[in-house]
Every structure is written in structure tokens, then in C-alpha cells.
Amino acid sequence: MRTWWKNAWARRPKLSRGWKLVRNLVLGAVGGYLLWSFWGYPLPTAEMTFRRLERQHLLSPSELVFSTPEYGQGTDAASKRDRMVEALDGTKLYLEDCWFAGVTEESTVIASVERGLLLAGDGQLRGYARDGGPLLFPLSQSEWEIPRAYWVEVDYSVGAHYTYHNFVPFLLLDVPGETRRVELSLELRQETGTQILPYQADSWDLGGGVWLVGAWREDGQSPSPWLEGSYTLRLYDEKDTLLKQREGAIPRPL
Amino acid sequence: MQRDQMNGFQWLYIATQGIRFKPDRAAVRAELAAHLEDKQTDLQRIFPDLSPEEAQRRAVESMGDAWEVRKQLAKIHRPWLGYLWRLSQVLAVLACLWLVSFGFFRGDDAYLGDHPCSELWDADDLPRTATMGDDDDLRYLPGDDPNQLLALEIGQTERVAGQDVSLRRAALWQGEDGLELYLYLRVNTWRFWERGVLREKWMKVTDDRGNCYVLGVESGEHPEDGSLMNGLGMWGFGPFHSGYEVYIRNLDPEAGWIYLDYGPTQPLFSFAVELKEGDQ
């Protein structure tokens, strides 16, 4: 057996270095494919993952109107997964994971993507109908939990005292450019039971017709992750003249 | 150093110094050293009175100008090729280790995953995997069962966002509680890292009688087994395809055409199936 193996090994075709190079690279490619597939085909950037989600859902590329940075947790982030966006008034707002919002003529897509140290992992995408007017979209992408969102208040009067203000995040899109103030009242179904409770809302202008809205209650109660409810929206210009009023149900994903 | 007074060691050093990839340099140097030694040995054999130093000097002379040889060797032996060769060796070893350990730890389905619906490709053109032998797939194949009213091979295809979506087969059966329609859709792409997905909520099924068939939870329960009346489910999938089945179990008996429109708002693709034998 051993002699046979030795003879067989001696009779093996002798490849030139060029062909050996090809053989090795093919083996490497196969191994690399398996490794890549094992980890769920991560991509270099979260935006690439967002675009891939669109293609996987057979959607044409949307116009990106909102995105959080790939990196950059900001100095006050509670977690490495949090991403900081800065409002036009300088408020630093933090969202868990990377978020993207894109629009087409008839729809809005909102996606969240997990971003690791080196690569972007999987994500979830939801589509909503769009009518060109200002619309409120929930940033909840899971039936199980609402993504972490907060802004940080720092009091330097006694050393540095940090207060984290949690909120339930929404995106307000297609806001007219002349809007200077947003007044929003929300009612959301609670996590347990069927109770619907009013929420206060803060809003921050991110520019480009995009506002981030944070809903919260003094008693800290959380709404159901489905974020079902209704809202009344009023937009005011710099002279505090009412520009637009809108009310309706918080949209459900298509 | 004068070029005509160079000894063998010096000649070899200069001639091979242009090869920047160290392993190649060592290999070429060894080969040239063997040539030099052979020449020296031959000279001493032919001219026995020749001293070893003189024999070496003549052997070096016959090897040519060291600087010229250096230029030529540097042209042939590019460093990036050498490094690529090394890299490929490392990759090949890592790949072999990974392939072996992958198979060892994950067992029979190592390379497809242990999902029961995974398959390399849709060899049988049926929703479920070819190896499963699932009886549910037999509903699409023409047979003798008197309850099978229709088994169609359709093959309509639309290209959407770089993916090919095709309606492969349709089958109409007489169930205990009414007509049951099954449709097999497949999404294909060579870009295995972004295999297409279909969403139940985006699929709209209507017929020529104006009926709209709701899919999913809202379709209600089938009286026979309590499962959903109508729905869209994913079955066999592989690196380059995803297989889906639309099932309607309360089909209007008078329906002659079924229309599938898929999209969140406007349809991204549409298919129409005439419920009779013949080309579709």
C-alpha cells in the first residue's frame, strides 16, 4: 500500500509554477467563499448592505435622504453600536446601529444595518408608501424591541454630569424647507394590553427636509415595538405661521 | 572590483542580486552555482595542469558579464509574481484547513448548511429540494390522480433589479373544500451574496372574475388542517436561487386566469396564468 502510494505520488502530473499558482488561487477562492458565506456575506460598508437589501427586495436604488455614519460613536455614546448624528442646532443624537432612509417617487424605504469593527453584517428593510407630503416613519424595525435612541445633556457646572434622555425614534421626511418649528402629538399603543397613551415629542432638524423625532413620556413607559398609533403634525415657519397640518395613523410597512 | 578579476562567489552575488524575491534568488543562485561548478570541473578534467583558481577564473569568464546577467534575470523574475506565489501557497493551505475543518464540524451538509431546504441548484425545477423527495412536489408533476386537474410548465421570466424572476410551474387540484392552486416561482441571480427574497405582503393575487386572494394570516384558516388558507412560502434555495410557492386554497371555480402582481406599491413584476392546458 505504501509502495503503491509512493509510486502514485511520483507519477502525479507535475504542474508548472503558473498552473500551481492558478490551482492555489482557486483553492483560496473556494475557501474564501465558504468563509464569507459562513458569516452571512458581510460587506465592507453599511451603505453597501443597504443597497444590497434594496436589490434583494427587487427594488430600484432609492435616493438616500438620511443615513447615520458608518463609524463615529461620538464621545458620549452608551454603546459601541450607537451612531451619532448632529442636528442643525448642534444637538448630538444617538441611534443604535446604522440607519438609512431612501425615497423613490412612490415609496420610502427604511433600513437598519449592524456594523461590526471591520465589516457590515445583516440588516432589515421596510417599505412605506409615500405621497410627497411630510410623513412620519417609525425607526422600529423589529417586532421585539424598539431601537435605542437618546440625546445627551452635559452639565459642566459640577465637573461633567451626563444625563441620557431616551426616546422612541421616528423620522419625519419631506418637510418643507421653510419649516422652522415642528409641533407633534403622538398616541401610541402600549407594550402590554391595548391601552393607547399620549407621548410628548421633541424634533430636531437634520437638514434637507429630514427631521428626527423623539417620543417620550415622563413616566418612561414604553410603547409596543409595533409602534401603532396616531399623530397630529403641525409645521411652522420662522414667523410661526402654520405651514402645514397633517394627522393620521402611524404608517405600517408595506 | 574589476569585472575580469571576479571570483565565483562575487559573480554569483552580482548576477543574482537583481532578483528581489528572496526564495527565487536563492533558487537561481543555487542553479547558477551548480553550472559554475560543472564548468570548473570540466575544465580541470580537460586541462589537468590547470590550477583550481585558474579553472574557476575561466569558468566565471565563460558565464558571461555578471552585470548583464543580473539585468536579464531581474527582468524575468518580477518580485510581485514571487509574492503572489507565496500568498497563493498560504491561501491554499488555509483553504484546505478550512475545508477540512468545516466539513468535519458541520457534517454532511457542511457546504450548504444544515437547513433542510438548501440545495446547490434547482435540478428538478420544483419548489422543494431534489434530495428531500418531498411528496408535496409531486403535485406539480402530471400524474394519474383524478383530483389533479392541471399541471403546467410555464417558464415566464422577468428581469427585475438584476435578478431573474420566473414563474416555473402551476398545479390545480380538487381539494376537499374547493379548488387549490399552487404556483412555483423562482428568483435567480449569479450574485450569490444577494439572493433575492419575495415578501408575502407584496404579492397580490387576483383572477379574471375580480377576486382578490389575500395571502397570509388574514386569509384565514383552512378547515381541514388549520393551516393558512392562502400564502407565499420559501422552499428550496441555493447559492444562486430562491424557490417560492404561492398557494391558494379557496380558488373561484369559475376563474379562467390568475394574475400575480408583486411590489410594495406599483408592481415590480407581473405574471398571468391561464388555467387550461397549453403554452403559457
Side-chain angles (χ1 to χ4, degrees):
Chain A
M1 181 69 185
R2 197 173 163 181
T3 315
W4 176 86
W5 175 247
K6 276 176 82 173
N7 292 337
W9 183 254
R11 281 198 305 269
R12 77 187 191 282
K14 305 282 191 293
L15 295 175
S16 67
R17 183 188 275 196
W19 281 111
K20 281 185 190 173
L21 186 70
V22 169
R23 176 200 69 195
N24 292 347
L25 290 176
V26 166
L27 271 175
V30 170
Y33 159 73
L34 283 174
L35 197 63
W36 195 29
S37 75
F38 184 71
W39 293 109
Y41 305 110
L43 293 175
T45 67
E47 188 172 339
M48 288 175 75
T49 303
F50 168 64
R51 292 300 180 193
R52 177 172 68 183
L53 283 168
E54 286 185 313
R55 288 191 298 271
Q56 281 182 298
H57 288 82
L58 311 182
L59 300 170
S60 6
S62 60
E63 181 196 343
L64 200 61
V65 295
F66 169 76
S67 65
T68 53
E70 296 274 345
Y71 298 98
Q73 293 94 25
T75 51
D76 306 324
S79 159
K80 283 181 187 171
R81 280 177 65 170
D82 298 346
R83 298 290 178 267
M84 191 267 288
V85 288
E86 191 167 338
L88 293 183
D89 66 2
T91 310
K92 292 183 172 55
L93 306 155
Y94 293 83
L95 294 171
E96 185 181 7
D97 289 328
C98 293
W99 288 87
F100 299 88
V103 297
T104 63
E105 212 174 295
E106 289 135 13
S107 62
T108 299
V109 289
I110 295 185
S112 68
V113 176
E114 276 188 49
R115 162 92 233 182
L117 191 62
L118 292 173
L119 297 167
D122 208 357
Q124 292 184 50
L125 179 142
R126 291 196 172 186
Y128 299 87
R130 179 179 181 233
D131 59 12
L135 274 177
L136 193 71
F137 300 100
L139 287 186
S140 170
Q141 293 292 291
S142 163
E143 294 82 17
W144 299 282
E145 60 176 12
I146 298 169
R148 182 173 54 243
Y150 54 92
W151 61 279
V152 185
E153 185 182 357
V154 188
D155 181 4
Y156 292 106
S157 61
V158 187
H161 185 256
Y162 295 84
T163 307
Y164 288 77
H165 300 269
N166 294 316
F167 59 81
V168 179
F170 292 82
L171 263 188
L172 189 56
L173 300 180
D174 292 319
V175 177
E178 52 272 26
T179 304
R180 291 293 171 268
R181 188 167 68 88
V182 169
E183 214 174 77
L184 184 66
S185 61
L186 280 157
E187 287 187 337
L188 300 171
R189 189 179 300 280
Q190 293 306 285
E191 202 162 7
T192 48
T194 55
Q195 205 181 10
I196 294 178
L197 294 178
Y199 278 70
Q200 288 177 280
D202 295 329
S203 48
W204 299 275
D205 188 359
L206 302 180
V210 179
W211 289 62
L212 188 66
V213 172
W216 54 280
R217 280 181 61 86
E218 285 284 353
D219 57 13
Q221 278 202 53
S222 283
S224 155
W226 289 101
L227 290 181
E228 294 170 305
S230 57
Y231 67 97
T232 302
L233 172 72
R234 291 185 189 85
L235 307 177
Y236 298 89
D237 65 8
E238 59 183 8
K239 293 180 185 168
D240 230 35
T241 311
L242 179 66
L243 282 172
K244 196 159 185 101
Q245 177 166 327
R246 183 162 193 162
E247 51 191 71
I250 291 171
R252 305 302 306 147
L254 297 169
Chain B
M1 168 199 328
Q2 290 194 5
R3 291 192 178 196
D4 56 352
Q5 289 176 359
M6 211 177 286
N7 63 27
F9 177 83
Q10 289 162 342
W11 190 94
L12 285 170
Y13 179 83
I14 294 166
T16 58
Q17 208 50 34
I19 303 172
R20 281 187 277 158
F21 187 57
K22 206 169 168 186
D24 279 356
R25 187 165 67 234
V28 170
R29 186 194 169 100
E31 197 171 330
L32 290 174
H35 277 305
L36 202 54
E37 196 178 320
D38 287 343
K39 279 186 190 283
Q40 187 180 339
T41 308
D42 283 343
L43 281 169
Q44 284 191 282
R45 185 172 50 79
I46 295 166
F47 303 105
D49 294 334
L50 218 55
S51 68
E53 294 78 17
E54 180 61 21
Q56 194 191 68
R57 190 191 67 76
R58 291 193 190 185
V60 167
E61 238 179 64
S62 70
M63 294 288 280
D65 181 15
W67 299 97
E68 191 55 39
V69 170
R70 173 185 172 137
K71 239 196 291 184
Q72 296 306 317
L73 287 175
K75 260 192 215 173
I76 299 165
H77 295 273
R78 303 273 185 206
W80 68 267
L81 267 178
Y83 292 124
L84 182 65
W85 166 240
R86 259 296 176 261
L87 176 68
S88 77
Q89 286 178 310
V90 171
L91 282 178
V93 167
L94 287 176
C96 286
L97 285 173
W98 175 247
L99 284 165
V100 167
S101 60
F102 204 58
F104 181 76
F105 287 115
R106 296 194 69 181
D108 288 342
D109 296 310
Y111 307 111
L112 289 175
D114 56 5
H115 196 292
C117 292
S118 62
E119 55 183 356
L120 272 176
W121 61 83
D122 186 19
D124 57 1
D125 203 19
L126 291 166
R128 288 152 185 82
T129 63
T131 55
M132 281 174 75
D134 198 313
D135 287 340
D136 285 347
D137 268 357
L138 296 177
R139 64 165 65 108
Y140 291 95
L141 302 174
D144 298 326
D145 194 323
N147 290 321
Q148 186 184 57
L149 306 175
L150 212 57
L152 300 172
E153 283 188 44
I154 301 177
Q156 294 176 24
T157 302
E158 285 208 38
R159 190 149 178 87
V160 189
Q163 313 233 9
D164 289 320
V165 186
S166 48
L167 177 59
R168 307 300 307 163
R169 293 177 186 268
L172 186 66
W173 284 73
Q174 181 63 57
E176 283 190 16
D177 298 290
L179 285 184
E180 297 179 355
L181 175 68
Y182 300 89
L183 299 163
Y184 171 38
L185 290 144
R186 194 174 69 207
V187 186
N188 278 74
T189 179
W190 61 267
R191 294 196 292 260
F192 52 86
W193 59 91
E194 52 187 51
R195 211 178 63 232
V197 298
L198 297 182
R199 279 196 162 158
E200 189 175 68
K201 280 175 101 171
W202 294 5
M203 181 68 77
K204 188 177 165 191
V205 184
T206 54
D207 65 23
D208 58 336
R209 304 256 302 154
N211 297 305
C212 182
Y213 299 93
V214 175
L215 304 182
V217 172
E218 290 160 27
S219 67
E221 284 183 5
H222 194 270
E224 192 180 314
D225 53 21
S227 59
L228 290 176
M229 183 69 78
N230 308 326
L232 167 73
M234 189 178 86
W235 288 104
F237 65 90
F240 305 103
H241 76 280
S242 303
Y244 289 87
E245 182 176 70
V246 173
Y247 56 94
I248 307 290
R249 298 197 285 178
N250 58 355
L251 187 71
D252 184 335
E254 302 300 317
W257 283 83
I258 291 294
Y259 305 104
L260 297 179
D261 295 295
Y262 180 85
T265 51
Q266 296 300 313
L268 298 170
F269 66 82
S270 300
F271 293 119
V273 182
E274 189 175 11
L275 297 177
K276 70 167 197 181
E277 291 286 350
D279 291 338
Q280 296 282 341

